[in-house]
Amino acid sequence: MKILVLGGTGEAVILANALASKGHSVITALAGRTKNPARPKGKLISGGFGGADGLADYLRAKKIDYLIDATHPFAVEMSANAVAAAKKSDVPLTRLVGPVFAEPEGANWWRVKDADEAAQRLPNGATAFLTLGRQTLGAFTHRTDVRFLVRSIETPDIELPENFKAIQARPPFSRGDEIGLMKREGITHLVAKDSGSAQTQEKLEAAFMLRIQVIMIERPELEPCSEVGSVAEVLEIFAQLPPPKRRFFFFP
Ligand code: NAP
């Protein structure tokens, strides 16, 4: 089958590789924010479609059989576009989104609705670890009384205030890596998005072991569509689907 994966997450790379190794023709689409992204098997396109109509045109023009939204659960606009485009072009859509994080017993996470509220909750003198993406950092820059550690794949393209320390590193990070980093940097608070990703899970476990306060930004509401929680469940869908009609080429 010809499958378009809307990517930008570690799970999307794992999924594209798994689908390609099962013989599917996979195209992964990225927004194009990272200059040197991880390259999954199959084709990689970058830079957006020009809204829901643009995506619907792409699905038709490239004769895509199936669309998978494997974007981050905070990529609200792309997910809404995927739902609208799938309806318009009559292409089946499934969203891959991990379950919300479960709070370990005794952890006492602070749950907040957005980055602004997370910034507000940080106490004076805290040392906070942020792994939120460049666009979200602006919500914290007014907190000159807090020290921040910011980790991203590429150097942030905004000028960060003096109380921000930026480090560049590419995932995956093991729980051991995260414990080492948080200890070295004297982290007191971890601000995380409820992404459901395996990557963040390692960080949360490290924070729990070090008794670091977690401030969890809750997921935004997404446009409803069919959802699965793991790469294995996506593969199961394709194992059960018949091949698309136009690809039958058996001779009588
Ligand atoms: P967004 O606000 O939902 O999307 C903004 C626009 O970026 C979309 O309308 C689309 O442009 C383009 N776009 C987004 N994802 C795309 C994809 N996979 N393929 C092609 N175009 C895409 O997205 P965002 O929150 O800025 O996130 C951008 C990317 O970073 C996503 O792919 C997401 O998976 C990844 N990411 C996001 C976060 C986060 O916290 N938001 C965290 C980790 C990774 P057009 O309208 O022109 O098609």
Side-chain angles (χ1 to χ4, degrees):
M1 287 191 125
K2 198 167 183 187
I3 303 164
L4 176 63
V5 176
L6 302 173
T9 58
E11 280 77 10
V13 175
I14 295 169
L15 175 65
N17 288 343
L19 289 169
S21 62
K22 293 216 175 283
H24 296 289
S25 162
V26 184
I27 304 171
T28 297
L30 298 178
R33 309 256 200 279
T34 308
K35 280 183 216 117
N36 190 15
R39 292 196 72 88
K41 285 183 187 165
K43 196 177 162 189
L44 191 64
I45 59 169
S46 181
F49 300 93
D53 287 343
L55 177 56
D57 290 345
Y58 184 89
L59 294 171
R60 282 191 219 101
K62 299 288 174 190
K63 298 189 168 40
I64 301 294
D65 299 309
Y66 210 103
L67 175 62
I68 300 172
D69 176 5
T71 57
H72 191 276
F74 283 65
V76 179
E77 198 178 330
M78 188 69 251
S79 291
N81 289 351
V83 173
K87 273 184 198 147
K88 267 181 181 227
S89 56
D90 208 18
V91 168
L93 163 70
T94 293
R95 181 181 296 143
L96 168 61
V97 58
V100 291
F101 291 125
E103 186 173 339
E105 221 179 296
N108 189 27
W109 291 351
W110 300 343
R111 292 188 179 274
V112 296
K113 66 173 187 320
D114 55 25
D116 291 331
E117 195 185 337
Q120 210 183 317
R121 293 291 300 271
L122 283 167
N124 181 9
T127 298
F129 183 22
L130 309 177
T131 50
L132 301 172
R134 282 167 285 183
Q135 302 103 308
T136 322
L137 296 183
F140 297 87
T141 48
H142 69 286
R143 290 299 309 266
T144 50
D145 58 332
V146 172
R147 188 181 153 251
F148 291 100
L149 177 69
V150 176
R151 182 173 65 195
S152 51
I153 296 177
E154 281 159 8
T155 322
D157 48 12
I158 54 166
E159 181 111 8
L160 290 172
E162 272 181 2
N163 55 324
F164 279 65
K165 177 177 176 182
I167 53 170
Q168 275 69 58
R170 188 179 282 276
F173 309 106
S174 68
R175 191 172 54 186
D177 295 337
E178 302 292 34
I179 289 175
L181 177 69
M182 292 194 215
K183 266 184 163 174
R184 268 196 312 280
E185 297 293 337
I187 300 300
T188 59
H189 292 72
L190 168 68
V191 183
K193 286 180 174 173
D194 197 345
S195 64
S197 79
Q199 257 309 266
T200 307
Q201 186 67 43
E202 299 290 332
K203 236 174 1 199
L204 293 172
E205 285 172 14
F208 182 63
M209 291 176 82
L210 297 173
R211 295 287 181 264
I212 287 170
Q213 178 64 55
V214 170
I215 305 181
M216 182 62 72
I217 304 177
E218 292 189 327
R219 282 185 193 179
E221 194 89 6
L222 293 180
E223 203 66 40
C225 77
S226 132
E227 286 184 0
V228 293
S230 67
V231 169
E233 285 171 82
V234 180
L235 296 179
E236 192 55 31
I237 295 175
F238 290 101
Q240 288 176 9
L241 278 181
K245 280 192 192 118
R246 64 174 175 278
R247 303 262 162 78
F248 278 126
F249 49 86
F250 298 114
F251 298 107

